Amino acid sequence: MAFLPLPPPAPARSAATPAVSARHHGGRTAPELSGPTPRVVVVTSGKGGVGKTTTTANLAASLARLSLPAVAVDADAGLRNLDLLLGLENRVHLTAADVLAGDCRLDQALVRHRALQDLHLLCLSKPRSKLPLAFGSKTLTWVADALRRAPNPPAFILIDCPAGVDAGFVTAIAPAEEAVLVTTPDITALRDADRVAGLLECDGIKDIKIIVNRVRPDLVKGEDMMSALDVQEMLGLPLLGVVPEDAEVIRSTNRGVPLVLNDPPTPAGLALEQATWRLVERDAMTAVMVEEQERPKKKGGFFSFFSR
């Protein structure tokens, strides 16, 4: 099976493309890329509806703004949504399934973002269609290998994993070396996240970091919601980011424009941009919110079922 290389590197960013702000990163304008490239990162959750696809879209857009070429892969074979969040729903005509069937080249299936020249989208298949069983769980492994061999490979391959832990999950995590586990601070999402973390580790993925999404500091302070620190302690994983509840997420989704492109930045967009910097540098959060520091330590075994 032959794949043609990626398109040549994008030209310099135009003046119309939003620039990355340095004021929230100690005056630096770009993070230091850690490790060999391309880095293959799966964004997963287990439970649906926690913001996994929104996270993938914004991480990919942030990477492109940092001039780090990224390919965002929608690995949901029947219910793709990543194209909607990136505003590319009318431009996806060919998919990875077409490439693997020999109907087109890989570079033809990659859709370049209009505003972010370093961002490409690749969908696994067309909406409401199933991936042929003959492709098996190695589908994305073949695609990732082809991108690695390209003369101009991307710096990151971000795989938007479907919800659940069935065959789609197995296909999505197969080529990954790192994982971003997205969860919300509620017990149903956390139980699923804990299960997924165990499956990732069993598959050999040891570099797993968590993003806690839809956090409300007012509820955390009133002890009506678990804090990011609670979540981190329960899952026992490094913290990549904490994203607050933000009404702008719905507007951003409906417009097909990632939050990180908003100017001025929204709280959620800023948190996702900061998470991208940590991802690039293989860093993790060490600071906790003031509300978390002030809260008394809870006693008891209410979450004792979280064990692997």
Side-chain angles (χ1 to χ4, degrees):
M1 185 180 302
F3 296 104
L4 287 194
L6 279 169
R13 183 186 293 111
S14 66
T17 304
V20 179
S21 172
R23 60 183 174 176
H24 303 291
H25 303 284
R28 293 185 297 154
T29 57
E32 296 180 6
L33 180 59
S34 174
T37 59
R39 287 168 53 185
V40 184
V41 183
V42 62
V43 182
T44 185
S45 62
K47 187 178 187 296
V50 299
K52 169 178 51 59
T53 301
T54 300
T55 299
T56 305
N58 282 277
L59 290 178
S62 289
L63 289 168
R65 293 179 69 204
L66 293 167
S67 298
L68 293 171
V71 174
V73 181
D74 192 328
D76 198 323
L79 297 172
R80 78 181 194 212
N81 288 308
L82 189 54
D83 56 331
L84 291 170
L85 272 65
L86 293 173
L88 300 174
E89 64 275 12
N90 296 323
R91 298 181 57 196
V92 179
H93 305 296
L94 298 169
T95 66
D98 296 314
V99 177
L100 295 170
D103 296 331
C104 69
R105 304 188 308 269
L106 179 58
D107 63 306
Q108 293 175 316
L110 292 169
V111 182
R112 178 175 283 175
H113 196 276
R114 296 183 185 90
L116 300 168
Q117 297 298 301
D118 283 320
L119 173 58
H120 289 81
L121 170 69
L122 177 65
C123 294
L124 191 59
S125 65
K126 294 181 173 63
R128 297 179 297 278
S129 66
K130 294 183 178 180
L131 199 66
L133 293 177
F135 291 162
S137 62
K138 297 299 183 182
T139 301
L140 289 180
T141 302
W142 295 333
V143 172
D145 287 344
L147 291 171
R148 285 191 184 98
R149 294 193 303 267
N152 301 297
F156 283 84
I157 302 171
L158 296 182
I159 302 174
D160 182 24
C161 182
V165 291
D166 54 10
F169 172 82
V170 175
T171 299
I173 70 172
E177 301 150 349
E178 308 171 46
V180 173
L181 186 57
V182 182
T183 186
T184 50
D186 61 84
I187 58 173
T188 56
L190 286 171
R191 182 164 67 177
D192 289 352
D194 185 70
R195 173 62 176 157
V196 167
L199 293 174
L200 292 170
E201 290 173 354
C202 289
D203 199 64
I205 302 175
K206 304 301 182 183
D207 189 348
I208 308 171
K209 294 184 177 68
I210 53 176
I211 288 182
V212 186
N213 195 26
R214 303 187 66 178
V215 175
R216 290 187 54 180
D218 57 327
L219 294 182
V220 171
K221 192 170 184 178
E223 298 191 29
D224 294 315
M225 174 180 281
M226 284 177 284
S227 70
L229 184 59
D230 292 332
V231 173
Q232 184 180 16
E233 290 177 346
M234 290 164 57
L235 295 179
L237 295 169
L239 189 60
L240 187 66
V242 180
V243 182
E245 183 77 65
D246 191 341
E248 189 61 30
V249 172
I250 297 177
R251 301 187 187 97
S252 169
T253 300
N254 291 336
R255 292 198 308 264
V257 179
L259 278 168
V260 294
L261 299 185
N262 282 15
D263 190 16
T266 67
L270 182 58
L272 287 163
E273 181 183 307
Q274 292 171 339
T276 304
W277 278 59
R278 298 186 192 102
L279 177 67
V280 171
E281 297 187 334
R282 294 183 186 268
D283 197 4
M285 290 184 67
T286 55
V288 295
M289 294 187 298
V290 173
E291 291 88 341
E292 293 174 343
Q293 295 173 332
E294 293 175 347
R295 292 176 64 202
K297 195 74 173 180
K298 290 185 178 181
K299 299 180 180 180
F302 184 66
F303 298 108
S304 59
F305 58 84
F306 290 99
S307 60
R308 292 194 293 274

